[in-house]
Every structure is written in structure tokens, then in C-alpha cells.
Amino acid sequence: MKIFLLCFTSLLFVSAMSFAQLNIKFEQYQLGNGMNVILHEDHSAPVVATVVMYHVGSKNEKVKRTGFAHLFEHMMFQGSEHIGDDAHFKLLSEVGASINGFTTEDGTTYYEVVPSNHLELALYLESDRMGFLLPAMTQEKLDNQRDVVKNERRQRVDNVPYGTADEKIAKAMFPSDHPYSWPVIGYMEDLSAASMDDVKDFFRTYYAPNNACLVLSGDFNPAEAKQLVEKYFASFPRGKSFERPEAVPVSMKEQTIEIFEDKVQLPRLYVTWHSPKSETREDAVMNVFARILSSGKNSRLFKSLVYEQQIAQSAFAFQGGSEIAGQFQIQVTAKPGKTLTEMHSAVTNIINEILQGGVEEKEIEKAITGIESQIINSASTVLGKATALASYYSYTGDPDNINKQLDDYKGITSDEVVSVAMKYLDKPNMILSIVPVGKQELAVSRGE
């Protein structure tokens, strides 16, 4: 009878859920040199977003030569053969553009949002650094930006409370030759050791048109835009072929426990498991599971640890699916006087409750509603749409997946949440305790 009731209520839940359907129209084509171009018209405001995404991130780097993709994020703004030093920012700022770039493990994205009548300026600047960066690169510029990146690392990683947690976890979770085992920003010694030849070879390999996706999103005339794209990008030659890192099964043979003393006021617990890669059904299910654990005041972890027991300052869970692997992580910051052993015990109890008793349908519905809202909000701007189109093309080969983002969330049931969560969480994990200096007694010890 219990099985029948569970199936019956699941059917009711599936039939009751409705999903927003994005309908973002676009045109896609390739230049003769292999560069992918995507055009999306949106005339709601007189602006256009220009996004160039290179399918290169820190996972394309080599052991002892880390941080190159992020270093190029800086170098690309330092001028190219026909653009003066620091002129890229100056020229775009003068026309009121928004400009920036960002690097991940899997890709590097550069963007400008310009008034519609300055689209050609944005394309000209992007093309010049794609085709003519190396002639303008000097040892002085490289040394200067290498120092800038090192300072950034000091300010955002080494000298920030809990700042080195992510790279300690990645190092413990993945083999030393796995491309997710090192941080995107790289290691100091690798940045210092990078020669001009190393850096130039990295650029020639990965910053070629056939490894790039150009997206225009906003107020433009497609016929005129195509002529401009042809004018500024079609003459560049294809880059050389290279092997992309592929997804291979990664697992931990046994639980790993590490303790790190840091200049922090409160101890923080990190529990991390290997999990599904991005853009898969299991990635979607683990996203839902993470939200059930920690999204909102009534979520399982937050309600229990922060409100009811009042032993934690904060509790957070997330599914981090990347192109070739994923990580599922729970973070809990303890209240003063509490130990991370207490936090770990409380987290374990809540996970066991879910794995043995399932979750409620209203929890799944709330989680998916939150994800749906996030997706719709990200698609509300020309930049958001351009970035998503470039990402879906680069990582899945199909930019139309922007319109299918919610498909993987359809029909998720309590049984599926439990089944997928158990598949990944019932395996060895990595436990990191970050505690105030001299307070190792607050950490989780082996056997807890």
C-alpha cells in the first residue's frame, strides 16, 4: 500500500508542476576559419552585447604551468598590435560601454555591452586582440600582469579567511594530473616559472577562431552585423588541433580528513563528494537536493542547525557541475563555543533522514521554482542571453539548449532525489576543518 501511495502522489506532483518555456530565437553559422557566430536580436533597448568565449580554461593547462588562462584574461586588456596599451578600456569607456572578462576551469569569456551605434568598435577591439595580441606582447607587459595576478591571488585567496579552502579540497579530491586539481588563478611558483615562449604557445593553441564563439545579442541589423563579422574575423587562419580533456571516472578510495589553522574567528566545516558533471539529469537532481538542504529558512540544514538547534552561524550546500566532473559540497560555519564534530554529526543525521525517509513534494517544487526563477532572471538581459548561448554552444555543442534548461528538472520525484543522492553521497568524501589558529580541538577528527 505504501508503494502504491508513493507512486500515486508522485503522479499528482508531476501533473501539477508547470514549467516556463524560454523561446530565445537565434541564428547560428560558422566562418570559413571555424569561428562559430550566434546572432540574437532584441530591440527592447538600444544596446548590444558582444561576447567572445574561448573554450579554454584552467583545465587546459599543464602541471607546473598553471594560471595561464586567467593570466590571459589580464593580458587581453593590455593592448594589441593596432590598439595602444590600456586603450581597450579607454575606447569603450568613452562610449559608455560595460566591459569585463572572466575565467573558469572550462572557458574564458570577454564581453562588452555597448550602445547599438558602437557595435563596430566592440567587434574591432575583439578582433584585434584575437588576431594581433602577440606582436604587441612584451616581456615588460607579461611581468607586469604576472605581478598583478600574484597580487590578486594574495588579496583574494592567500590573505582572505577561508580563502584557500577550495584549492585544498580540489587537491585532495582529484589526482595531481587531473585538470580540476589546481586552482583557476594558478600557483605562485607556476606563474613565476612561465616563460614568454610558454605563454605564446598557450595563446597560439587556444585563442584561435576555431576555438571561439562570438555572440551578438541585442539591437542590431543582422545583415550589417554579418558584414562586420566577416570584415573583422574572417581573415584569421584556423588554429592548430589539440586534444580536449575528457570526462573520466574519478573516485576516492577512502575518506580524507584535513585540518587547517587560519586567521578566522569561527571554525568552518567543508564536506565534499564527487558528483555528476554539468548538463546531465543527475546534475539537475543534485541541484534540487542542494536547494532542499540549504535554500531558504525552512530548508533542512538551515532550519535545523541555524534556527532550531542554534549551533551554526550558517549552512550552505551546492552542486558544482563542471564540464568533465562535478563536486557536491556542504559548508557549515559553527557558532562560538561549538565544534565541527557537532556540525558534522548534525549534517550526517539530516542526510540520513533524507536518504531513509525521502523528501516532500513541496520541497521539490520549491527547489525547482527557485531554479526556474534564476534561469528566467539570467535570460532577462542581452548580456545574460549572450553568455548563456556562448556557454551552451561551447560545452554542449547546441546553443538551443538555452531553451531546454528546465527539461532535466521535469518529473523529479522524491524517489529519484534519494536514489541519485545515495549514489554519490554513499561514497568516501573529503572533510576539511578550518579552525582558528591554535584551536585544532574544534576540528572534526578521524572516526567522527
Side-chain angles (χ1 to χ4, degrees):
M1 178 59 77
K2 288 182 178 177
I3 293 174
F4 169 77
L5 286 175
L6 180 60
C7 294
F8 179 69
T9 52
S10 293
L11 285 172
L12 281 178
F13 166 65
V14 171
S15 63
M17 283 289 290
S18 61
F19 291 83
Q21 187 67 48
L22 293 179
N23 184 24
I24 298 170
K25 299 184 184 303
F26 60 88
E27 179 183 357
Q28 178 188 4
Y29 66 100
Q30 276 197 348
L31 300 182
N33 56 20
M35 191 174 86
N36 192 74
V37 183
I38 298 173
L39 306 178
H40 163 68
E41 288 184 77
D42 178 350
H43 300 286
S44 58
V47 295
V48 57
T50 302
V51 166
V52 177
M53 182 173 184
Y54 295 93
H55 195 176
V56 55
S58 59
K59 81 169 184 298
N60 298 92
E61 298 160 356
K62 300 175 182 175
V63 176
K64 303 295 184 185
R65 288 294 183 271
T66 64
F68 280 23
H70 177 255
L71 178 60
F72 268 108
E73 182 192 315
H74 287 252
M75 293 300 298
M76 293 280 257
F77 289 100
Q78 299 308 305
S80 43
E81 185 168 17
H82 308 104
I83 311 297
D85 297 354
D86 301 320
H88 193 107
F89 267 116
K90 180 175 182 295
L91 290 169
L92 287 167
S93 297
E94 286 175 350
V95 302
S98 301
I99 320 142
N100 216 330
F102 57 90
T103 309
T104 70
E105 291 86 349
D106 302 318
T108 307
T109 303
Y110 300 91
Y111 68 82
E112 303 85 24
V113 181
V114 297
S116 305
N117 56 326
H118 291 291
L119 171 61
E120 183 167 5
L121 174 63
L123 292 173
Y124 166 59
L125 294 173
E126 286 293 354
S127 75
D128 207 65
R129 60 186 178 185
M130 177 187 285
F132 304 102
L133 182 76
L134 293 188
M137 185 179 288
T138 63
Q139 189 66 47
E140 183 182 4
K141 284 185 186 178
L142 176 61
D143 292 342
N144 176 271
Q145 288 309 304
R146 185 167 24 209
D147 288 343
V148 170
V149 171
K150 286 182 177 178
N151 280 333
E152 182 180 342
R153 185 186 158 94
R154 293 184 187 100
Q155 292 170 1
R156 297 176 58 181
V157 179
D158 296 325
N159 296 324
V160 174
Y162 315 104
T164 59
D166 287 345
E167 66 181 48
K168 285 179 168 54
I169 293 166
K171 198 170 184 177
M173 298 282 293
F174 294 99
S176 59
D177 59 348
H178 192 287
Y180 288 166
S181 69
W182 53 80
V184 173
I185 201 168
Y187 294 119
M188 286 292 197
E189 59 271 27
D190 295 354
L191 291 166
S192 298
S195 69
M196 179 66 87
D197 287 343
D198 291 333
V199 173
K200 286 186 173 181
D201 185 61
F202 192 80
F203 183 85
R204 291 190 188 99
T205 302
Y206 297 111
Y207 295 80
N210 50 309
N211 197 40
C213 178
L214 167 67
V215 182
L216 305 185
S217 172
D219 181 37
F220 61 88
N221 179 297
E224 293 175 359
K226 286 181 180 178
Q227 290 180 356
L228 292 174
V229 171
E230 182 78 15
K231 174 182 176 181
Y232 287 110
F233 292 93
S235 63
F236 299 148
R238 295 178 68 93
K240 60 185 179 182
S241 60
F242 60 89
E243 292 186 6
R244 293 192 188 281
E246 295 183 354
V248 294
V250 183
S251 62
M252 300 179 70
K253 294 182 179 177
E254 59 184 13
Q255 186 179 63
T256 299
I257 296 178
E258 291 187 10
I259 302 169
F260 180 66
E261 295 183 16
D262 199 0
K263 295 178 181 177
V264 297
Q265 295 295 315
L266 297 172
R268 179 178 292 174
L269 169 71
Y270 299 78
V271 188
T272 312
W273 295 261
H274 287 295
S275 68
K277 69 187 190 75
S278 62
E279 309 305 334
T280 61
R281 172 75 174 192
E282 288 187 338
D283 177 48
V285 174
M286 291 303 283
N287 267 330
V288 169
F289 182 57
R291 281 181 169 268
I292 289 171
L293 284 176
S294 70
S295 180
K297 294 179 179 178
N298 289 318
S299 58
R300 297 284 184 117
L301 281 176
F302 203 89
K303 181 180 179 182
S304 176
L305 274 65
V306 177
Y307 276 93
E308 293 178 347
Q309 299 184 61
Q310 297 191 20
I311 58 175
Q313 196 78 16
S314 64
F316 177 59
F318 73 94
Q319 156 66 10
S322 297
E323 192 175 7
I324 62 171
Q327 294 181 60
F328 185 85
Q329 187 175 101
I330 293 174
Q331 297 177 16
V332 181
T333 304
K335 280 207 165 186
K338 302 297 179 182
T339 71
L340 296 185
T341 296
E342 293 174 84
M343 303 304 113
H344 185 246
S345 177
V347 167
T348 301
N349 288 340
I350 289 172
I351 290 177
N352 285 338
E353 281 177 11
I354 292 177
L355 297 184
Q356 293 169 14
V359 297
E360 297 178 14
E361 291 160 8
K362 65 181 181 182
E363 292 180 294
I364 297 175
E365 183 171 3
K366 181 183 175 186
I368 294 177
T369 299
I371 292 165
E372 186 179 29
S373 174
Q374 192 175 48
I375 289 172
I376 291 172
N377 284 336
S378 70
S380 64
T381 66
V382 290
L383 180 60
K385 285 181 282 191
T387 304
L389 286 165
S391 297
Y392 277 113
Y393 168 76
S394 299
Y395 300 146
T396 73
D398 184 4
D400 194 42
N401 283 329
I402 193 174
N403 294 317
K404 306 170 186 172
Q405 296 178 68
L406 284 164
D407 286 0
D408 281 335
Y409 293 92
K410 292 179 178 176
I412 291 177
T413 65
S414 175
D415 288 352
E416 188 176 13
V417 172
V418 170
S419 173
V420 175
M422 187 172 290
K423 175 180 176 180
Y424 290 96
L425 303 194
D426 191 27
K427 291 180 178 176
N429 54 21
M430 194 274 174
I431 296 176
L432 172 63
S433 298
I434 293 187
V435 298
V437 175
K439 298 286 186 181
Q440 289 214 8
E441 69 273 15
L442 297 177
V444 176
S445 57
R446 189 172 293 278
E448 295 292 347

